[in-house]
Structures are given as C-alpha cells and as structure tokens.
Amino acid sequence: MLKARRIAALGLAAVCLLNAGTAIGAESTEKKDELKVMQLPIRTDGPKSLDPVEGSTTYDNMACAQFYETLLTNKYASPMEMEPLLLAEMPTTEDGGTTWHFTLKEGVYFHDNACFPGGKGRAITPDDVFYSIKRLADDEYKLENWWLLDGTILGFNEYKDAQNAADEFDYDAPVPGFRKINDREFEIVLTKPVYRFLYILGMFQTSVVPREAVEYYGKDFARNPVGTGPFILDTWVPKQSLTADRNPNYHEVFYPGRDEWSREDKRARLHRAAGKQVPFVDRVEFTMFIEDQPMWLEFNAGNLGYTQVPEDYFQEAFDRSSKELKESFLRKGMRPHANKLLDFTFRGFNMEDELLGGYSTEKRALRRAISYAIDLDEINETFYSGRRIVYDGPIPPGLDGHPEDGRSEAAARGRNIAMAREMLAQAGYPDGKGLPAIRFYTSQNAINNAVSEMVKRQLAEVNIKFEPVFMDFSTLIEAINKKKAPMFGFAWSSDYPDGENNLALFYGPNEAPGSNHYNYKRPEYDALYEKVLTMGPSEERTAIYAQMRDMILDDCAYVGGMARERFYLMNPWLLNCKPTERYYGWFKYLDVDDSKRE
Amino acid sequence: MWTYIVRRTLYNIPVFLAIVFVLMLALRVNDPVSAQLGKNAGEEQIRLLTEEMGLDEPFIVQYGVFLKKLVTLDFSERSWDQGFPVSEMIFKAVPPSMAITIPTLTVTAMIAICVGLVSAFNRGRAIDRSLMFIAVIGMSISVLVYIILGQYFGAFVPSESIEGWPFQVAVDASAGESALFFFQPAQWVAFCMLPVMINVVVALGYDARFYRAVMVEESQRDYIRTAKAKGASTRRVMFVHMLKNAMIPIITRIMISLPFVITGSILIEVFFGIPGMGRTLINAINSKDFPVIQTFTALFAALFIASNILTDVLYALVDPRVRLS
C-alpha cells in the first residue's frame, strides 16, 4: 500500500514538473505570438553543416545564406544578375580582368557573439575576406570546395601546397594575389582573367567568416554560425528543424526598388515593399521534411509559407495541360510560381569505350543512331506530365549559348527512325546486325527503372539491344569515375548562371574522375574553352559557346538533355515571395501578414 | 542464474563479433568516401577523407579499432554528415523513439492479449470469427497505407473543420532540442498519439492472432477443465489460470519487440517528423553516413542479443518449471 502511494506521489510530482514546463513554454509562446514568425519547409533532411567552407548542397546553401554573406550576390528581382552585398560597389578592374579592386561596404558588423571581446560583433575587414578564402585551401576542411578557386588566384595554389605540407596551416602567411590597401579596400590578383571569378564570389562557400569564431568554436564552428547575415541562429536540430532570429545589427540592405521589378512581378505585387530596410520578420522557422506528404499537408493546412509542388501532387494543384493553378487553390488565396532550373539531364557515352567511344565516322554514326532512336518527348509526357524542357546542347534554357527554341541543327534529336537506320548502316551495323547489346548504367529508382524500359522499347524498334544496369548512386559514380560505364544516366545542375559551367563538362583535362564523365577530348574544343574562360558576356562569347555546343552535338557525346521546371505554391500570408534556386539569400525579403492566416 | 547469464553472454560474444565483421565488410563493398563526397570530389580530397576516417588502414586494423570503441563505449566518433559525435545523436534520438514505442508496445500487448483471450474462449463463435477477420484485414494492409490515410484523415481533414483538433500532421520547429518535449502531455497528444494509434493498429492483427493461438492451446489443457469443474468464474479462468500459464510465449513475443522500443519505427518517424532512432538511422543511410550506420547497427545487434538473454531469465522467473543451468 505504502509502495503504491509512493508511486502515486512520484507520478504526481512528474506531472507537476511537466505542467510547470508546459506553463513556462506557454509564457514564451505568448511572447513569440507578438513577433512576426515565418514558417518555411526544407524539402529533404536539410543542411549537413553550417560552415560555408564545408557546404556543398542546396540545403547547406539555404541554411548558411541566412547567417553568412558573400561579397556579391544575385539580384532578387532578376536572379541571373549579380549585385554587391558586402561591397560598396561592384568590383572594378583596369587590366582586363586580372586585378580586381574591392571596397567593403561601411557599417557591416558580425553578429554579436561570445567569440568577440565583450560579446560585441566587430566590423568586417579585408583580412576577414582573405581568411575566409584561405580556408578553402586548408585540408582540415577536406578541400570540399577547393575546385572553385583552383588555379584562379595568383600564388594561391602554391600557398595551399606549402601550408598543407607544413606542420600547421599558417593563415598569416601571405598570398601574392591578396593585397590589402586599407581597412575597407583590397585587391585580388588572378593568374589570368577568369570571368567566372565574380560568380564564385557570390557562392555561399566564399562567405565571409570571422577568424575569432572559427578559433573559439573549433570543430563546433559548423554548429555555431557567426556571420554578417540577416538572421542569427537560435536552434538547429539536424535533420529536423532550424530556427533563427532577426539580426538587430543587420547592415543597410533595402528591398529592390519599384523599377527593378518586371510588369508581371508588379502584377503579383512583389514591389509593395520597395526601398524598405530588410529583414521584415523577427523569426524564421525551417522544418525539414524527408517525405512529401507531410510537407504538402502542412502547407495546405496553412502552416507553411510556401512549398515546392512535389511531382505526385502536381495534378492535385495544377491542370495537367495548361499548367494553370486549379480554382480550389486559387480560392484559398494561394499563388503559384514556376522556376526553370539550370538543369542538364542526359544519357552520356564514355568516349573511351571500345564499342561506343571514339571519334571516327562509324563511331560517331553509332552514337547518333542511338540518339535518333530515343524519343525524349515521349519520356517527358509519360513520366513528367510534359513538365520537363527538352533541348539540344549542354547549356540549359535562359543562358547564353542555349539554342533558339532549344533546337540545334547539329543535334541528332529523336525520334527519327529513318535517320537512326541510316546511321546504323553507316556505323557498320545495318539493321542492327552484329551490334552487341548497349550496357546502360543508371541509378536504381522507380522512375529510372520505368524510363529504361521505355528506352529499351524505343531502341528495339531499330534492333538496338539495350541492357540497363541498375545500381545505387555511389556505385554509379564509382563506375563512371573508373571509366567502366559505356553509357550512363546522369544529371548536372549549374553551379552558376553561365554556360561555361556546363561546357566545362566536356573539357579534356576534366576527364574522369573529374566532371568530364564522358572523357570527351577534342583539342580544338579545349582551346575554345580556355579562350572563353577569360571572356565576359558578349556576342563573340555567345557565338563561341554555340560553336562548342554544336561540336559536342555533332560528336554526339550524349543523348539529351532535359531541364526541370519547378513549381511553387505560396500561402496568402507570405508576402514578397518569388522563389528562386539560383541563391538563397532572399529569405530576408519575405514578410508575413498574420491577419491572412486562417 | 548469474552463472547462466555469464555463460550465455560469453556464448553470444562470437555471434556479436561475426555480426560486426559482416557489417563492416558490407559497408566497405563500395567506396564510402567517393559516395560521401559526391560529384566534385578530387583525388586529393578522397585521399584526405580516407586517411581521416582510417579507411586506408588494413581491414583487420579497422575492425580492431571499432571493436575497441564498442567495448569501451567510446562513441565519440563524429558523423560525416552532421559533424556531431555519434553518442550525442544516440542520446538525442532515444527519448523521442521511446515516446512512441513504449506506449505502442504496452497498449498493443494489453489489447492483443485481451482479444486473444476472448477469441480463444469463444473459439469458433461469431465473436471469434469477427475478431480474427478484423485482425487479418488489419495485418494485410501495408503500414504505409495506414500512415498516409492516418495523416490525411486523422490530422489534416479534421483540423480543417474542427477548431482545436488535437493531432498534428508532423512535428514542426517548435519541438526544438528538448529531449523531454515529446513527454509533455499536450505535445505528446499533438505529435505522438496518432503515430501510436497507427502503430497499435498495425501490430494488433499479428499479435492478436498469435495470442489467440497460444490461448487456444492453453484452453484445451486439463487444468482449465478442472478449474471450470471447481466452479471458477470465466474471468478467473481466463485472467488467472490461463494467462499465467501462457506467460512463456507472451514474454517471448514482448521481448522480441523490446529492442524496437529503442530502435523506433522508421516509417512512422520519417512521416511524422519524429527525431528518433529510426529516422536518424534512415537519414544516415541516405547520406551514406558511415560512422553512424556502423555504430547504430552494432548497437542494435547488441540490444537483440541482450533481449534474448533477458527472455531466458524471465522464463525462469515466471515459470518454476524452467531451470537455468
């Protein structure tokens, strides 16, 4: 009996404690209710690190961009264009792009944090910029993003080799390409003019971090971001949620002016906050969703500001043929937005493969026969409800060098059965006779399995035997890197909005295990690539891009490509939202109107 | 008894060593470093990570190092994906899993035993047939269907029309980092009760059929007839005589399920956003997080072995006929 009473008393105490916890929670919830809080989803399991130098995924980018900032950034109103963020103005050059002069913006301070004396964030200096870039060279961080600046800055490769060979990495050792002029001005000297350098200064991996924080937190720096960004980390529960509060000392950044928005954007009232200081919300709460259903239901319940529209739910929200949002969603005040992604999805050939590779007329004809026999439009209609964009060449829609209407005369665009048969005969396999089965390596998933079956059927019509080999993604990468895959399914998402990024996929020195998975090697192509590297946007450069594109298409190094169009939906309470996947520093422009929540 | 426990533990050590051996071997079939680093990985980068993870050492050395860590309970190795020590990930993931699995296990066992008893006692009658028909239907439907329909009709649809509907579709950012979050009554009802109900429905069919079979066997024994002849009430026959004698298979069934209290249920945790062990493990698998997969799987193996030994000990405690020797 006594025992039972004791248990009851313990139980009562536990309930009281829990209730006390709930009461405290309720009080803080009331305070939170007075704040402008924005709830957003992160599709998949979110970031793996909050240290920009260790980041590589979209989700690392999305998280880091709230806390850290880069020298340059994309424009919110027109994301293909760049503008200064931590700089007072765009960098200038007087020698054709070898030496770049930078002036830091005034009044930019790091977040208040215990790593600084007195816990007060200090102003950024050129030393912070140099330090942050030097971290990319430190093998402590596994050189995950070294490829961004490899061979770009004067003396930086030598610095990297020397410091990594030394007992300790010396961040104070000089790099000839870094020149500090004063506390706001500095220069960076490149090995040669490389136009993409400016894009790289807008990539989150080159964000400016304070040395004090890296040294103070050590290995835990990846969980304690200290930057200049619009938000300060509150909590990060990996794979679960991330919450951040407004940075009260955020520097002067204003919502894009009225004239920066297109007519269509103005119709969506995206210009309503023109010229106002950002950020608008006090707190942002990200929830990670591994599965699409809970994200979709949470959005529909009005608990999330926006959502990507998952493939499985597209026809629930949009009319399949017109791609218009359905009436039931419009009635709830939801707004749609579509983004063309800089995607390049393809089926590549290993140009060193005994059967499919090579540059002779016969080998080229065999690859073109395969390409002519494959009907990408049928694949698009059947598996993606026609939402993918089929185009010729490796340069995705929206970029210089993308062919008009997505078509190039050099391409062996299917489906053209007559041409496929003619090419087969030219290759020495009339009507497919004597042609061994084509082994196609691809990653295992439901869509790939089904698509491969369709390709098998399409190729069978010209008597080409197609043998898909399914494997997990890591095995696929390994097979491609070791040049073992004769034909393979893969995709590339552009790192920055310049066709050069995709043309690099066919540059000889980048052969496997580098990004040239096709092992495509043509000296004249390589020479053109080296030339365009130093060129800024111009008609001449676009013409060279087209020439390189057609060279690849003529050799038929791959079958494809396709780009995705991503659809978004926004709840009426989320304001100023124009989702883009070019960069993720745009959350600071968002606002909420709690009166529009149900 | 202690001698028995020590001996069984010693017998199981080679089993555990073999499991860890096969596990480590399987994880190294494909190069885990290339898989982790992805599309832009250079040779130097691959070399650095290989060295950092000790994967350049001979396999037997890696095996020895990992075993030493397991024996000394040193789980300080950091996740490749998250950078957190694995121990921290385990400590954070166990409480949310338990908030789901303990109630699931308890409620399922209680209901399934009662259904089994009632069914067995009314063997062949309409009530028995109806209960078993429902059980078979229940176990024939995929858990995924229960989850998808449960989220939709259990949380989303009613919340649209009924103000203050208690169940949430998934855990949101308000859960934060608190390990006790899911043990607060209001939060438990909001985020855990629906998953528990789904888990119970899924498990009930299997368990009820099993317990019915056990009870049917017991109900035909002589002591039941004797008890009835002596005038014992139906309730007494069922819950005192029959239940007590059926404890061995009941314990076996419950003990088999016990490790799942810690390991959680993967699909439920993934769909409802519960940051438990199941979700942590599946995340680790998806992101090829080698140290986490290795440690979690070794721990799960240890838990299963421990629960097996514990089951044998419990046999002796509940049934005097069983001698541990």
Side-chain angles (χ1 to χ4, degrees):
Chain A
M1 188 65 181
L2 195 64
K3 204 172 169 184
R5 274 187 193 161
R6 269 187 201 160
I7 291 168
L10 273 172
L12 196 63
V15 169
C16 288
L17 267 173
L18 285 171
N19 282 341
T22 316
I24 293 164
E27 196 180 314
S28 63
T29 310
E30 269 170 32
K31 276 181 191 165
K32 276 180 192 169
D33 284 347
E34 296 163 14
L35 303 173
K36 274 189 175 182
V37 183
M38 174 169 74
Q39 294 84 6
L40 301 174
I42 294 184
R43 202 173 168 192
T44 80
D45 55 5
K48 61 177 182 174
S49 170
L50 299 184
D51 182 353
V53 86
E54 289 180 342
S56 58
T57 68
T58 297
Y59 310 102
D60 297 335
N61 187 351
M62 195 184 271
C64 285
Q66 312 316 315
F67 313 117
Y68 293 104
E69 291 181 314
T70 44
L71 296 177
L72 300 175
T73 189
N74 302 66
K75 288 183 177 177
Y76 186 41
S78 43
M80 294 293 193
E81 294 171 34
M82 306 292 285
E83 65 180 0
L85 180 58
L86 291 179
L87 298 175
E89 56 185 15
M90 284 299 279
T92 54
T93 178
E94 286 176 2
D95 59 4
T98 305
T99 307
W100 290 90
H101 181 269
F102 300 83
T103 307
L104 289 172
K105 188 175 168 183
E106 261 185 301
V108 181
Y109 292 88
F110 287 113
H111 299 158
D112 291 344
N113 191 278
C115 67
F116 298 113
K120 193 82 191 142
R122 60 164 176 79
I124 62 161
T125 67
D127 293 322
D128 295 314
V129 178
F130 298 152
Y131 173 76
S132 304
I133 295 177
K134 283 176 176 176
R135 292 181 79 226
L136 291 165
D138 188 346
D139 66 14
E140 161 95 23
Y141 305 108
K142 300 189 254 330
L143 305 173
E144 190 146 351
N145 294 299
W146 170 248
W147 65 278
L148 290 172
L149 290 170
D150 189 9
T152 305
I153 297 171
L154 185 68
F156 198 30
N157 279 51
E158 292 77 6
Y159 168 84
K160 169 190 161 254
D161 294 340
Q163 295 309 321
N164 287 321
D167 290 340
E168 205 167 326
F169 198 98
D170 181 5
Y171 280 96
D172 295 320
V175 172
F178 292 154
R179 293 179 192 159
K180 181 178 174 181
I181 298 169
N182 56 41
D183 273 352
R184 282 187 57 211
E185 288 176 83
F186 64 96
E187 283 180 342
I188 294 180
V189 186
L190 309 184
T191 50
K192 59 185 175 193
V194 178
Y195 187 76
R196 69 163 180 229
F197 180 63
L198 295 185
Y199 288 121
I200 285 165
L201 295 182
M203 290 174 73
F204 81 102
Q205 293 95 329
T206 60
S207 297
V208 179
V209 306
R211 185 169 180 171
E212 296 95 319
V214 178
E215 291 175 355
Y216 180 83
Y217 288 108
K219 272 198 179 298
D220 288 335
F221 178 64
R223 298 149 67 177
N224 293 279
V226 183
T228 59
F231 296 100
I232 297 173
L233 179 70
D234 177 25
T235 58
W236 175 36
V237 186
K239 315 276 183 183
Q240 186 72 23
S241 64
L242 186 147
T243 57
D245 297 316
R246 191 165 65 87
N247 173 9
N249 305 321
Y250 190 54
H251 55 104
E252 284 190 343
V253 176
F254 302 105
Y255 193 84
R258 198 184 162 84
D259 52 345
E260 290 186 53
W261 295 99
S262 67
R263 189 175 293 177
E264 194 186 331
D265 291 336
K266 281 180 188 157
R267 266 203 299 272
R269 296 198 42 77
L270 281 166
H271 63 294
R272 57 174 282 286
K276 290 185 182 165
Q277 167 73 32
V278 297
F280 299 115
V281 298
D282 299 294
R283 184 175 165 82
V284 55
E285 297 181 344
F286 291 102
T287 304
M288 289 95 177
F289 293 94
I290 299 172
E291 288 293 335
D292 286 335
Q293 160 151 313
M295 180 179 76
W296 182 246
L297 294 182
E298 284 285 343
F299 170 78
N300 276 284
N303 298 330
L304 296 170
Y306 76 84
T307 182
Q308 283 181 4
V309 181
E311 296 272 344
D312 291 345
Y313 297 91
F314 182 80
Q315 290 181 48
E316 188 180 325
F318 290 89
D319 181 84
R320 184 185 159 129
S321 50
S322 70
K323 296 180 190 171
E324 295 285 331
L325 189 64
K326 286 186 177 169
E327 190 57 36
S328 55
F329 284 78
L330 284 169
R331 269 201 305 271
K332 288 183 186 172
M334 290 176 182
R335 288 162 291 133
H337 179 77
N339 260 341
K340 286 187 175 68
L341 303 190
L342 299 183
D343 272 350
F344 173 44
T345 310
F346 57 86
R347 287 159 190 84
F349 295 111
N350 174 8
M351 299 293 278
E352 290 184 9
D353 183 69
E354 211 171 304
L355 175 66
L356 297 170
Y359 300 84
S360 66
T361 314
E362 291 78 17
K363 295 289 185 187
R364 186 177 150 275
L366 174 58
R367 290 191 299 270
R368 289 179 76 84
I370 295 169
S371 184
Y372 274 127
I374 294 177
D375 188 348
L376 294 174
D377 293 323
E378 188 187 8
I379 294 172
N380 187 22
E381 280 303 323
T382 310
F383 298 103
Y384 308 111
S385 312
R387 291 198 306 281
R388 303 234 160 160
I389 301 156
V390 179
Y391 64 94
D392 296 332
I395 302 174
L399 300 182
D400 288 347
H402 180 78
E404 216 177 308
D405 301 329
R407 285 185 175 270
S408 163
E409 283 182 9
R413 170 84 79 98
R415 159 158 260 219
N416 188 335
I417 295 292
M419 280 303 289
R421 292 207 168 107
E422 193 184 318
M423 288 289 128
L424 263 183
Q426 217 179 92
Y429 305 105
D431 208 21
K433 280 180 193 132
L435 178 66
I438 309 293
R439 285 173 68 79
F440 173 70
Y441 286 44
T442 188
S443 51
Q444 171 99 42
N445 63 46
I447 286 261
N448 276 354
N449 294 6
V451 171
S452 297
E453 278 305 311
M454 181 174 277
V455 173
K456 192 175 180 175
R457 197 244 310 141
Q458 291 173 349
L459 289 175
E461 285 179 46
V462 287
N463 294 327
I464 296 176
K465 289 189 271 303
F466 185 71
E467 208 176 281
V469 182
F470 300 107
M471 54 192 67
D472 62 64
F473 189 67
S474 58
T475 315
L476 178 68
I477 291 184
E478 211 177 323
I480 293 170
N481 283 348
K482 290 182 177 166
K483 304 182 177 177
K484 283 182 183 167
M487 189 178 177
F488 52 93
F490 220 64
W492 181 266
S493 192
S494 302
D495 297 302
Y496 43 88
D498 188 337
E500 174 270 312
N501 186 237
N502 285 50
L503 293 171
L505 302 179
F506 298 86
Y507 179 53
N510 288 347
E511 68 177 305
S515 58
N516 178 359
H517 303 304
Y518 327 82
N519 306 303
Y520 182 76
K521 285 174 208 156
R522 224 181 224 295
E524 55 271 40
Y525 180 92
D526 293 349
L528 286 173
Y529 177 75
E530 281 155 21
K531 188 176 175 187
V532 293
L533 265 184
T534 63
M535 296 171 76
S538 63
E539 278 184 20
E540 187 194 353
R541 193 185 72 163
T542 306
I544 300 176
Y545 279 4
Q547 190 185 347
M548 294 169 77
R549 175 198 74 211
D550 289 347
M551 219 179 257
I552 301 163
L553 287 171
D554 197 50
D555 281 328
C556 197
Y558 70 91
V559 181
M562 275 193 197
R564 284 169 293 173
E565 189 169 19
R566 186 109 72 202
F567 287 79
Y568 286 83
L569 272 182
M570 289 154 274
N571 263 314
W573 56 263
L574 186 70
L575 310 177
N576 310 339
C577 187
K578 186 188 178 188
T580 172
E581 296 181 32
R582 286 288 1 115
Y583 80 115
Y584 287 96
W586 50 270
F587 293 90
K588 61 177 175 269
Y589 297 114
L590 304 183
D591 198 357
V592 298
D593 179 352
D594 286 323
S595 69
K596 289 185 177 167
R597 289 184 197 252
E598 277 178 13
Chain B
M1 184 169 75
W2 283 108
T3 319
Y4 175 81
I5 294 173
V6 170
R7 199 169 61 238
R8 278 296 304 272
T9 308
L10 288 175
Y11 284 164
N12 275 297
I13 287 175
V15 175
F16 183 69
L17 292 179
I19 292 171
V20 174
F21 187 86
V22 173
L23 162 72
M24 290 183 69
L25 214 56
L27 284 174
R28 284 158 178 77
V29 170
N30 295 319
D31 180 13
V33 174
S34 300
Q36 173 69 22
L37 291 175
K39 69 173 186 178
N40 289 316
E43 278 177 40
E44 191 180 2
Q45 205 185 331
I46 292 172
R47 179 185 59 77
L48 282 169
L49 189 59
T50 306
E51 282 173 12
E52 191 181 315
M53 297 302 152
L55 295 172
D56 54 333
E57 299 283 356
F59 177 75
I60 202 71
V61 175
Q62 294 178 42
Y63 181 62
V65 169
F66 184 57
L67 280 182
K68 188 184 164 201
K69 284 182 178 170
L70 285 177
V71 170
T72 55
L73 298 179
D74 172 11
F75 301 126
S76 58
E77 191 174 1
R78 283 177 183 256
S79 147
W80 283 9
D81 193 41
Q82 299 291 319
F84 294 92
V86 177
S87 54
E88 194 180 321
M89 295 173 77
I90 294 171
F91 285 126
K92 279 185 176 167
V94 168
S97 278
M98 289 172 79
I100 301 289
T101 47
I102 289 179
T104 299
L105 194 62
T106 315
V107 175
T108 309
M110 282 180 355
I111 299 178
I113 289 170
C114 291
V115 171
L117 275 169
V118 171
S119 235
F121 218 80
N122 297 285
R123 193 179 166 207
R125 292 187 198 151
I127 186 167
D128 173 36
R129 286 183 187 162
S130 309
L131 284 171
M132 285 309 107
F133 178 75
I134 295 167
V136 170
I137 294 280
M139 60 192 271
S140 307
I141 297 171
S142 158
V143 61
L144 206 54
V145 175
Y146 285 112
I147 292 173
I148 289 171
L149 295 181
Q151 274 189 331
Y152 198 76
F153 293 109
F156 174 68
V157 172
S159 71
E160 292 276 274
S161 47
I162 304 168
E163 184 130 350
W165 182 256
F167 303 150
Q168 300 286 322
V169 170
V171 176
D172 57 25
S174 65
E177 289 180 298
S178 165
L180 287 178
F181 177 84
F182 294 100
F183 292 97
Q184 293 172 11
Q187 316 299 358
W188 188 84
V189 170
F191 300 115
C192 300
M193 197 158 160
L194 184 58
V196 167
M197 283 160 65
I198 291 172
N199 261 347
V200 169
V201 170
V202 171
L204 205 54
Y206 295 94
D207 284 8
R209 274 170 56 86
F210 174 79
Y211 290 131
R212 177 188 176 275
V214 170
M215 301 304 177
V216 164
E217 204 180 319
E218 285 301 319
S219 66
Q220 290 164 348
R221 303 228 187 246
D222 290 345
Y223 71 88
I224 296 290
R225 203 180 310 121
T226 310
K228 282 180 184 169
K230 285 173 81 176
S233 66
T234 306
R235 189 182 295 173
R236 190 171 171 80
V237 171
M238 278 168 67
F239 288 98
V240 178
H241 297 280
M242 213 155 94
L243 189 58
K244 206 170 172 183
N245 282 285
M247 281 314 271
I248 293 267
I250 290 174
I251 285 173
T252 310
R253 186 79 177 177
I254 292 173
M255 292 308 289
I256 285 171
S257 312
L258 213 52
F260 292 107
V261 170
I262 306 294
T263 60
S265 43
I266 291 173
L267 277 176
I268 283 280
E269 289 183 5
V270 166
F271 270 82
F272 284 92
I274 293 156
M277 291 286 273
R279 185 175 154 112
T280 308
L281 180 63
I282 206 72
N283 279 334
I285 292 169
N286 287 340
S287 51
K288 315 277 188 291
D289 196 347
F290 197 73
V292 176
I293 302 170
Q294 198 165 272
T295 310
F296 270 47
T297 317
L299 270 182
F300 292 170
L303 276 172
F304 274 92
I305 289 172
S307 72
N308 275 342
I309 297 172
L310 195 60
T311 309
D312 289 349
V313 174
L314 284 176
Y315 285 168
L317 290 179
V318 300
D319 190 342
R321 291 170 297 182
V322 176
R323 293 275 172 270
L324 297 179
S325 58

